[in-house]
Amino acid sequence: MRILTAGESHGACNIAIIEGFPKGVRLEESIINKDLLRRMHGAGRGKRMALEQDQAKIIAGLRNKFSLGSPIALLIANKDNQIFSQKKDLLKSLNVPRPAHADLSGSLKYQEKDIRNILERASARETVARVACGSVCKQFLSNFGISFASFTVSVGQVYSGCKPKNTAEILSKTKKSKLNCIDPLAEEKMIDLINECADSHDTLGGIVELWIDGLVAGIGNMMHFDRRLDAKLASGLMSIPAVKGVEVGLGFDYAKQRGSKSHDAIYYSSSKGFYRKTNNSGGIEGGLSTGEPVVLRLAMKPIATLTKPLESVNMVTKRKAKAPSVRSDTCAIAALGPISESMAAISVFDSFLEKFGSDSLKEIQRSYLQYKRNIHRFK
Amino acid sequence: MRILTAGESHGACNIAIIEGFPKGVRLEESIINKDLLRRMHGAGRGKRMALEQDQAKIIAGLRNKFSLGSPIALLIANKDNQIFSQKKDLLKSLNVPRPAHADLSGSLKYQEKDIRNILERASARETVARVACGSVCKQFLSNFGISFASFTVSVGQVYSGCKPKNTAEILSKTKKSKLNCIDPLAEEKMIDLINECADSHDTLGGIVELWIDGLVAGIGNMMHFDRRLDAKLASGLMSIPAVKGVEVGLGFDYAKQRGSKSHDAIYYSSSKGFYRKTNNSGGIEGGLSTGEPVVLRLAMKPIATLTKPLESVNMVTKRKAKAPSVRSDTCAIAALGPISESMAAISVFDSFLEKFGSDSLKEIQRSYLQYKRNIHRFK
Amino acid sequence: MRILTAGESHGACNIAIIEGFPKGVRLEESIINKDLLRRMHGAGRGKRMALEQDQAKIIAGLRNKFSLGSPIALLIANKDNQIFSQKKDLLKSLNVPRPAHADLSGSLKYQEKDIRNILERASARETVARVACGSVCKQFLSNFGISFASFTVSVGQVYSGCKPKNTAEILSKTKKSKLNCIDPLAEEKMIDLINECADSHDTLGGIVELWIDGLVAGIGNMMHFDRRLDAKLASGLMSIPAVKGVEVGLGFDYAKQRGSKSHDAIYYSSSKGFYRKTNNSGGIEGGLSTGEPVVLRLAMKPIATLTKPLESVNMVTKRKAKAPSVRSDTCAIAALGPISESMAAISVFDSFLEKFGSDSLKEIQRSYLQYKRNIHRFK
Amino acid sequence: MRILTAGESHGACNIAIIEGFPKGVRLEESIINKDLLRRMHGAGRGKRMALEQDQAKIIAGLRNKFSLGSPIALLIANKDNQIFSQKKDLLKSLNVPRPAHADLSGSLKYQEKDIRNILERASARETVARVACGSVCKQFLSNFGISFASFTVSVGQVYSGCKPKNTAEILSKTKKSKLNCIDPLAEEKMIDLINECADSHDTLGGIVELWIDGLVAGIGNMMHFDRRLDAKLASGLMSIPAVKGVEVGLGFDYAKQRGSKSHDAIYYSSSKGFYRKTNNSGGIEGGLSTGEPVVLRLAMKPIATLTKPLESVNMVTKRKAKAPSVRSDTCAIAALGPISESMAAISVFDSFLEKFGSDSLKEIQRSYLQYKRNIHRFK
C-alpha cells in the first residue's frame, strides 16, 4: 500500500493517490467531507477556516461508489487559490522566517530567498489530503468493526478528567463539542482560556487522546522493527505539523511504574477468547495489537504564528525583524483529533492488508473471519 | 538506504545488512564493540548479560578498513546458542504467554502453540544487530562532526536534575556511570531503588534523553509527511522493545505552554550564521533540523518478565497459569541509551544521504561543505 | 523518488504524483502536451485517438513555472468520460474476455463478473499519465544535456534499414513521420501493410528502438541488483502494455557473437576522456551507464482487440463466444515511441537523483559538473 | 517482502536476508546446495569453479527445519578468501579496466583508482547469494505446485531445436546435461564450439529459456505499472550480469505476427476451468499470470574476460594497455539457467505473497485453495 499527497496552501488543490486499495469497498464522499468539516471547525480557529468548506472528490478508482482495485485519487479544491496560479503571480517575497515553522530550515535547505516557496507546502493546509486518505482507510476498516475516535485531553494547563470506555462513547460525547472534548466542564474552561489567550495575541497547544476499537489481535509485525504497529503509528502521528510527542497506553507514566503493577495480566473465557482486565499497554504489546482498544496520546505545541509576533531576522538584510503574522488561529487542538485519526487509520490499514492480503474486500473478509475464529478457539 | 536484520535469541547469530552505504568510509569493529558493550552492561541486568561479550564482525563491504560502496554485512555470534540449532532441538514447548511481551499476540497472529517460536525473534536480543548498524552509521556521521549521546533521566520515580550542554558533556559524565547517568547523586538513588525492587522480585522502567550535536540545518524533508526527520526518528525509537513514548524538545510540556513563551526566536550573527538562544523545539521545526542540538526523550516500560510472575493462561489447556520467569533483569534503562542512539543514527544517516547523495564519502563531503558555506552566508 | 498514477479509461481523468522532484526546475505544460500529442497520433490508430486532444495540467508543485521541491501533480482530463461517472452508470456488463488483454486474468484475480471493471484500469489509456510523468523527468534531465528519442524499426515483417547517429538525427527525421520512422521508404511500406491489415480486420505489432544521449558514465548502481540501470529500464519498459521483449545494445544478437568481436574496447583522449569506438553494449556495462548513448529495443505484440474477433468464452454462461470488438486501431507502434521514452526517462531520473542528491537543481548541477570534471581528468 | 544481499568475490562470504518470509515452511539446505552446484558446473567453466563447492547455511529464521516467520539469513562462505580480509591485504592495484565489465564505469562512478575495489562486488560471484535466495523462494512455492526449470537454447550460433512440454520434462532432460540442454545432439555441437572457442582464447554467450509451471491465474497486478508480473520478472532477469535481453512468450517474434494468428483464444471446460490451446503470450497477459506456463527467454553476452585480451587504457597513465585476463571461463550459459530460475522465483514469490498474505504457510494455503476453487467454478 502506498500513499502520496501533493498540493500547496494557495495552489489549485490538494490531491492524494492511494495505491493498493482493495476492490469492492463502498466509499462515500459524504463521509470524507464530514471528516474534513471536523478538521476545519472548533473553537480557536481564525477566519480562513470559517470560509472554506472543503469538499473531497474521488476522481479515480471508483465506479458506482465501489472501489475497482485501482488507485484511489482524491482531490480537494482550494477555495482561496486565486492568488497563486501557474501564471506569474504577483505575490510579494517573504523574507522573515517565523520561528517554530519550517520557514528558516526550509529556506536554508533549498537555499531559497522567498520563504513563500517554502511555507506553501509546509503549511498545515496539507493535512486536508491526509484526512481525506484517512477517511477512505477508515471506511475500509469499518467493514471489520474497526472504529476510530479522539478527544481533547488538555488545552494549555486545563485538563479534562473524563475517561471514556470506547470509541462509541467518545464519538457521541464529542459530537456537539466545539473543542472535540468529552468533558463539558473542562471544555468551558478551555474555551475561556483560548479567548483570554486570543485577547493577549498569544497561542496555545494541548493534548489529544486517540482510540481505535475493534482491532483484532496480531495486527502489526514484530519480525522486523520497521513493521511494528507502534513504530508505524508513531511515524504517522509525529509527522503531523505541531505534534511533538506520542505515547502509547500509559506512555511516559509507565516509566514511573513497577512491572507487577503495570503489566496487563492475561485471561481467557470461552465467550471472549483471550482478553485483559486492564489496558495499560494501550492495546499494543511487542509491536502487535492485543485485541484491546489501541490508545495513544499526542502533544501539540502552541500555534507557531502569533499576532504578537516573535523575534526573527530578515534573511536578505540579516537585520532583526518581527516575524510576519499571517494567520489568526489561537489553538488548533480541535483539528488535531480528526487529523490524528486519519494518520492512525492509514497505519492500521497498511498493517491490516499486510496480514490479510489486498486484492478484494471479499477475500480479505474471508481470511479475516477465519482468522478470528481460529484465535478465539485457538486449537 | 536500506537495512535488514535477522537472528533469533538462541540462534547462531544476529546479522544485519546495510545497503546503500557510501564508499570510502573508515569503519572500526572496535568502535562497534564498544557500543555493544554499553548495550550489555549497567546496573539492573541479570546474569546472561554478564556472560556475553558481544563481538561484531564486518563480514562484507569492507577492504583494509574502508567501505567499498557495497552492502555492509555485520555478524554478531550468540554465545549461548548451543541449545538452538538447525538440528532438531529438544527444547520443551512453552504454552503460557508472558504479559507485556509479544508472546500472546504473536502466538495468535501465527496460530502457534509453542510460544518459544514467537519469543525467539521478539526478544530484545535482536537489538544487538540494530546497535551494530547504528554504530556504523555513527562512524559515517562522525566525518561531519555529528555526535550522539544519551543519558538516563529517571528510573521509576527517581529523577536526575542535571541538564547537559552538549553530547561531549554527556559522554564524559556517563563514561563511568553504571546507569548511563550524568547525575551521580540521582544515580545512587536509582541503584538503591533497583536493588530494592530486585529484592521484591519486581521490575522498573525509566526515561532516557538523547542528544544529537552537529547536525546542520535542513536535514529531513517537509515536502512529504513520511520524509520528515521527526517522523523517522519517532518510528525508529518507538520500534525499540519496551519504548512506549517519544517526545521532541519540550514534548508533552509544549502542550502546557503559550506560543510567545515557547517558540525559539531566530537570530543571526556573521560568525554563527542563523541561530537560536533557546532550543525548545529540540532542534526540529517543520520536520527539518534547525542546526541546534536535536533532543529527544523516550519512556521505557518496566521489564516484562518478572521473577514474581504475573497472571496468565495456558494457551493449550486454557487454564489459569503463572507466566514463566525466564530472565532476571530488574531494569534495562542503561541499555536503552545506546540502543536509542543507534536507532536515531540510522534515521539521521538516511535523511543525510537523501540530501547529499550516497556514492562516496568524498563526494558527500564536497556537497556538504559547499552547503554549509551557502547557508552560513545565505547570499 | 516515487511516482504513483491513477485513473480509468472512461473515468474523469488520469492523474499522477511525482514525489521527490527537485526544486528550481522550469516545467512547461506545452512540452508535456507535445509528448501527449505524439502518443495519440500515427498511422494505424482508430477514431477515439483522432478526437481526443490530451492536455496535461500541472496542478501542484509549481509556482511561476518553476518547481517548488514539493510533489508534482499532473492531471489529464478524459474527453469522453460522460458515460462513466460517480453516479450509477448504466453501462452494460461485459462478460466475454478478449484474449491478449488483462480481461480474463483480471476477472479471475478479482472474481469479477463485469469485465468492464477490469479493463477500465488495464486499458492502455493509463499510459497517458506515464507519458506526462516522463515528460516532466525529461525536462529535468534536459538541464544536463540528456535527450531521448525513439523510432520504429519494424511493423510486422517490414523493417527499416537506417541506423541513426544520435537523438538529434532521430528527432529531426521522425518529426514529419506518421509512424515515428527515420526511413521514409520503409515507412511507406509499413503504412501499406497497415492499410492492408486493417482491410482484413487484423492487427500488427512491431519493434521500436530507443536512444538516450548525453548520459554521463556511472549512472545506475552495481552494488545491489535492483539498483542496476538496465534492471530499472527493463522493468519500466516491460511494464508498457503490449511490450513482450526488451534488449540492450546488441541484445539477443550478443548471444551469437564471440567476445573478441563484440565487446567495446576502451580508449582515452584528453579531449573526450574515456570513450569507445563501438557501442555494442548499448551504453550500459555492469548495470552502469558507460557515457556512450544508451540504446534499447522493444518488441510490441499486435493489438489485442480485433474487428475480426477471436474465440473466447462467456464467463457467466461458460459458453463459446466471440470476443467483443470495441476499438479499431490496427497498429499502435507510433505511440510506443513516446511511451517508451517516458518510461526510460523515469528510470534514468531515478538513478540520476540517486547519485547527485535531490533537493534543488542548483545543488545537483554543482555536484554534476564537479563529477564530470573529475571523471574526465580522472586524477 | 524484501531481500538484501552482501559479499565480495574474495571476501569472507556471500550473505542474504529475506524479510517477510512466511512461517511454517520447511526449508532444506541440501536443496539450496543442489542449486548452488548447478550454478557452478557446466562445460565452458574454468578452474575456480571446479575447486569451489558452495555450501549455504541458513543462519537465522529457522528452527527444526521450519521457518519461524522471522527473516531468513543465508551465508555461503568463500573458499578462496585467504587473499582478501579485514587486515591490510597486499593485493596489487589493478588499473586497466576490462571492457564489458563494470570496471570502467564503476571506477569513474566512485572515482576509484584501484579497479579491484569495483570488481569485487560487481563480480558474478555475487549471484551465489541470489541463487540461495531463489532456492528458498522455490521451496516455498513448491507447496503450491509451482515449479521452475530452464534450458540452454543456443550457444553462439548453435541452436537446440527441441520444444519441451513442461518443467518436468526439462528437469528430467537437463539432469545429465553438461550445458543444461534438452537436446543431446545440439549439446554435442555446442560443446565442440566451446572447445574450439577456448582454443582460440575467445568467449561465447547464448540464450536460455525459462519455464514456470503451476502458477495460478491472477498473480501479478495490473493496477499499477510497477506491480506487473512481467515488469518484475524483467527487472530481476535483466539484473543478472551479462544478460542483455529478456522476452516473454513469442517475445520479439510477436512483432512479426498478426493479431489473429498470435493471440491465444480462450476456452472453458468444467474439468480444466478457463484454459488456452496455445501459449504465445508466455503465460502473462496484461501483467498477470494466465494459468498457462510462464515462458521467458534471456540473451547472455559472451564472457567479458578473454585470455586473448581486449584493448583498453591504463586509468592512471592514460596509456593504451591490454585488459587483464584474470579468469578462464569460455561460456557461462549453463550457470545462467539456475540463476535465472532464482531471480524468477524471487519475483513470483513477491507477487504471490501480495495476493495471499504473508504470515504463515497455513493461512496462505487456505486462501490459495479457496481462490483456486473460486476461479475454477467462477460463480
Side-chain angles (χ1 to χ4, degrees), chain C residues 7-8 16 48 70 96 121 136 164 180-181 189 193 219 233 235 304 323 331 347 378:
Chain C
E8 284 77 43
R48 181 178 176 175
S70 54
V96 182
R121 177 66 182 163
V136 166
N180 202 34
C181 216
K189 288 182 202 158
L193 179 65
I219 301 304
L233 287 164
S235 167
C331 182
S347 299
F378 202 71

Side-chain angles (χ1 to χ4, degrees), chain D residues 15-316:
Chain D
I15 197 150
I17 296 178
I18 309 175
E19 199 277 323
F21 194 83
K23 186 181 188 303
V25 183
R26 186 181 177 95
L27 293 178
E28 296 280 357
E29 290 179 352
S30 61
I31 296 178
I32 305 174
N33 290 336
K34 270 180 209 158
D35 276 330
L36 293 179
L37 198 67
R38 290 175 59 215
R39 178 191 163 277
M40 292 192 293
H41 280 294
R45 313 306 297 279
K47 287 199 180 125
R48 179 174 178 181
M49 285 295 133
L51 288 172
E52 288 179 280
Q53 290 232 353
D54 286 321
Q55 300 286 334
K57 287 187 76 69
I58 301 177
I59 57 173
L62 217 60
R63 184 180 175 210
N64 297 335
K65 299 210 168 183
F66 283 86
S67 65
L68 288 163
S70 54
I72 305 284
L74 294 150
L75 189 140
I76 306 107
N78 284 341
K79 289 283 151 60
D80 56 353
N81 69 336
Q82 58 277 25
I83 55 167
F84 187 73
S85 75
Q86 286 179 249
K87 283 163 283 167
K88 187 142 184 56
D89 64 53
L90 301 165
L91 294 170
K92 266 199 298 181
S93 182
L94 283 179
N95 306 120
V96 182
R98 294 162 300 165
H101 274 286
D103 292 14
L104 177 60
S105 296
S107 294
L108 296 174
K109 178 182 184 66
Y110 288 104
Q111 290 155 60
E112 168 62 56
K113 290 269 156 36
D114 185 357
I115 296 165
R116 198 178 296 276
N117 290 332
I118 299 304
L119 60 85
E120 275 295 321
R121 177 65 182 164
S123 158
R125 174 75 190 149
E126 163 262 346
T127 56
V128 77
R130 305 201 214 175
V131 169
C133 290
S135 186
V136 166
C137 295
K138 282 199 263 181
Q139 292 187 51
F140 168 80
L141 293 166
S142 72
N143 290 285
F144 302 90
I146 302 170
S147 58
F148 294 77
S150 62
F151 62 96
T152 300
V153 171
S154 72
V155 170
Q157 308 213 16
V158 181
Y159 284 77
S160 155
C162 300
K163 302 278 170 208
K165 286 208 193 74
N166 49 42
T167 55
E169 183 189 339
I170 301 169
L171 290 169
S172 128
K173 289 195 174 164
T174 54
K175 215 171 198 171
K176 302 244 169 108
S177 165
K178 287 184 176 163
L179 270 182
N180 202 34
C181 216
I182 59 172
D183 177 344
L185 291 178
E187 184 179 328
E188 225 171 285
K189 288 183 203 159
M190 289 171 183
I191 292 176
D192 287 349
L193 178 65
I194 289 171
N195 289 336
E196 176 261 304
C197 186
D199 291 344
S200 59
H201 303 286
D202 214 330
T203 58
L204 286 163
I207 293 174
V208 160
E209 188 164 307
L210 169 65
W211 282 56
I212 311 169
D213 269 3
L215 190 61
V216 72
I219 302 303
N221 193 302
M222 79 290 195
M223 294 303 192
H224 208 270
F225 57 81
D226 47 6
R227 291 170 69 196
R228 292 170 64 110
L229 181 59
D230 44 6
K232 287 189 183 178
L233 286 165
S235 167
L237 296 172
M238 194 68 97
S239 79
I240 301 170
V243 168
K244 299 295 281 190
V246 176
E247 56 181 11
V248 187
L250 283 189
F252 277 86
D253 277 349
Y254 253 131
K256 300 180 197 158
Q257 307 280 330
R258 304 218 164 177
S260 64
K261 302 289 182 224
S262 57
H263 296 319
D264 304 308
I266 296 170
Y267 301 92
Y268 182 85
S269 83
S270 57
S271 61
K272 294 186 189 172
F274 295 95
Y275 71 100
R276 314 297 172 97
K277 294 179 182 170
T278 53
N279 187 26
N280 290 326
S281 76
I284 301 180
E285 283 178 346
L288 302 168
S289 61
T290 63
E292 303 298 320
V294 173
V295 181
L296 298 142
R297 254 174 319 278
L298 298 87
M300 185 181 220
K301 70 181 181 187
I303 281 182
T305 309
L306 280 71
T307 47
K308 176 180 66 185
L310 296 162
E311 290 293 322
S312 187
V313 173
N314 183 306
M315 295 187 78
V316 176

Side-chain angles (χ1 to χ4, degrees), chain B residues 8 23 29 70 86 112, chain D residues 8 23 29 70 86 112:
Chain B
E8 283 76 41
K23 186 182 188 304
E29 289 179 352
S70 54
Q86 286 179 249
E112 168 62 58
Chain D
E8 285 76 42
K23 186 181 188 303
E29 290 179 352
S70 54
Q86 286 179 249
E112 168 62 56

Side-chain angles (χ1 to χ4, degrees), chain B residues 149-307:
Chain B
S150 62
F151 62 95
T152 300
V153 171
S154 73
V155 170
Q157 309 212 15
V158 181
Y159 284 77
S160 154
C162 299
K163 300 279 170 207
K165 284 208 194 76
N166 49 42
T167 55
E169 182 189 340
I170 301 169
L171 290 170
S172 127
K173 289 194 174 165
T174 54
K175 215 169 198 173
K176 301 244 169 107
S177 165
K178 287 183 177 163
L179 270 182
N180 202 34
C181 216
I182 59 171
D183 177 345
L185 291 177
E187 183 179 329
E188 223 170 287
K189 288 183 202 159
M190 289 171 183
I191 291 176
D192 288 348
L193 179 65
I194 289 171
N195 289 336
E196 176 262 304
C197 187
D199 291 344
S200 59
H201 303 286
D202 215 330
T203 59
L204 286 163
I207 293 175
V208 160
E209 189 165 306
L210 169 66
W211 281 57
I212 311 170
D213 269 3
L215 190 62
V216 72
I219 301 303
N221 193 302
M222 80 289 195
M223 294 302 191
H224 208 269
F225 58 79
D226 46 7
R227 293 170 67 196
R228 291 171 65 110
L229 181 60
D230 45 5
K232 287 189 183 177
L233 287 165
S235 167
L237 296 172
M238 194 67 98
S239 78
I240 301 171
V243 169
K244 299 295 281 187
V246 176
E247 55 181 12
V248 187
L250 283 188
F252 278 86
D253 277 350
Y254 253 131
K256 300 179 197 159
Q257 307 280 329
R258 303 220 165 175
S260 64
K261 302 287 181 227
S262 57
H263 297 317
D264 305 308
I266 296 171
Y267 301 92
Y268 182 87
S269 84
S270 56
S271 61
K272 294 185 190 174
F274 295 95
Y275 72 100
R276 315 297 172 97
K277 295 180 181 169
T278 53
N279 187 26
N280 291 326
S281 76
I284 301 180
E285 283 178 346
L288 302 168
S289 60
T290 64
E292 303 298 320
V294 173
V295 181
L296 299 141
R297 256 175 318 279
L298 297 86
M300 185 180 221
K301 70 181 182 186
I303 281 183
T305 309
L306 281 73
T307 48

Side-chain angles (χ1 to χ4, degrees), chain A residues 355, chain B residues 109-111, chain D residues 22-25 357-365:
Chain A
K355 174 141 194 66
Chain B
K109 178 182 185 66
Y110 288 105
Q111 290 155 62
Chain D
K23 186 181 188 303
V25 183
S358 63
D359 273 5
S360 66
L361 181 60
K362 251 187 220 168
E363 283 183 293
I364 297 170
Q365 279 174 324

Side-chain angles (χ1 to χ4, degrees), chain C residues 111-216:
Chain C
Q111 291 155 60
E112 168 61 58
K113 290 272 155 35
D114 185 357
I115 295 166
R116 197 178 297 276
N117 289 332
I118 299 304
L119 61 86
E120 274 295 322
R121 177 66 182 163
S123 159
R125 174 74 190 149
E126 163 261 347
T127 57
V128 78
R130 304 202 213 174
V131 169
C133 289
S135 187
V136 166
C137 295
K138 283 198 263 181
Q139 291 187 51
F140 168 80
L141 292 167
S142 71
N143 289 286
F144 302 90
I146 302 169
S147 58
F148 295 77
S150 63
F151 63 95
T152 300
V153 171
S154 73
V155 170
Q157 309 212 16
V158 180
Y159 284 78
S160 155
C162 299
K163 303 278 170 206
K165 285 211 194 72
N166 49 42
T167 55
E169 183 189 339
I170 301 169
L171 291 169
S172 127
K173 289 195 173 163
T174 54
K175 215 169 199 174
K176 301 246 169 104
S177 164
K178 286 182 177 164
L179 269 183
N180 202 34
C181 216
I182 59 171
D183 176 346
L185 291 177
E187 182 178 330
E188 223 171 287
K189 288 182 202 158
M190 289 171 183
I191 293 176
D192 287 350
L193 179 65
I194 290 171
N195 289 337
E196 176 262 304
C197 185
D199 291 346
S200 59
H201 303 287
D202 214 331
T203 59
L204 285 163
I207 293 174
V208 159
E209 189 164 305
L210 169 65
W211 281 57
I212 310 169
D213 269 2
L215 189 61
V216 72

Side-chain angles (χ1 to χ4, degrees), chain A residues 5 8 15 23 29 58-59 61 63-64 70-71 84 86-89 109-110 112 114 117 359, chain C residues 5 8 15 23 29 58-59 61 63-64 70-71 84 86-89 109-110 112 114 117 359:
Chain A
T5 69
E8 284 76 43
I15 195 149
K23 185 181 189 303
E29 289 178 352
I58 301 177
I59 58 174
R63 184 178 175 211
N64 297 336
S70 54
F84 187 73
Q86 287 179 247
K87 282 164 282 167
K88 186 142 185 56
D89 63 53
K109 178 182 184 66
Y110 289 105
E112 168 61 58
D114 185 357
N117 290 332
D359 273 5
Chain C
T5 69
E8 284 77 43
I15 196 150
K23 185 181 189 303
E29 290 179 352
I58 300 177
I59 57 173
R63 185 180 174 210
N64 297 336
S70 54
F84 187 75
Q86 286 179 248
K87 283 163 282 169
K88 188 146 183 52
D89 64 53
K109 177 181 185 68
Y110 288 104
E112 168 61 58
D114 185 357
N117 289 332
D359 273 5

Side-chain angles (χ1 to χ4, degrees), chain C residues 49-71:
Chain C
M49 285 295 133
L51 287 172
E52 286 178 281
Q53 291 233 353
D54 287 321
Q55 300 286 332
K57 288 188 74 69
I58 300 177
I59 57 173
L62 218 59
R63 185 180 174 210
N64 297 336
K65 299 211 168 184
F66 283 87
S67 65
L68 288 163
S70 54

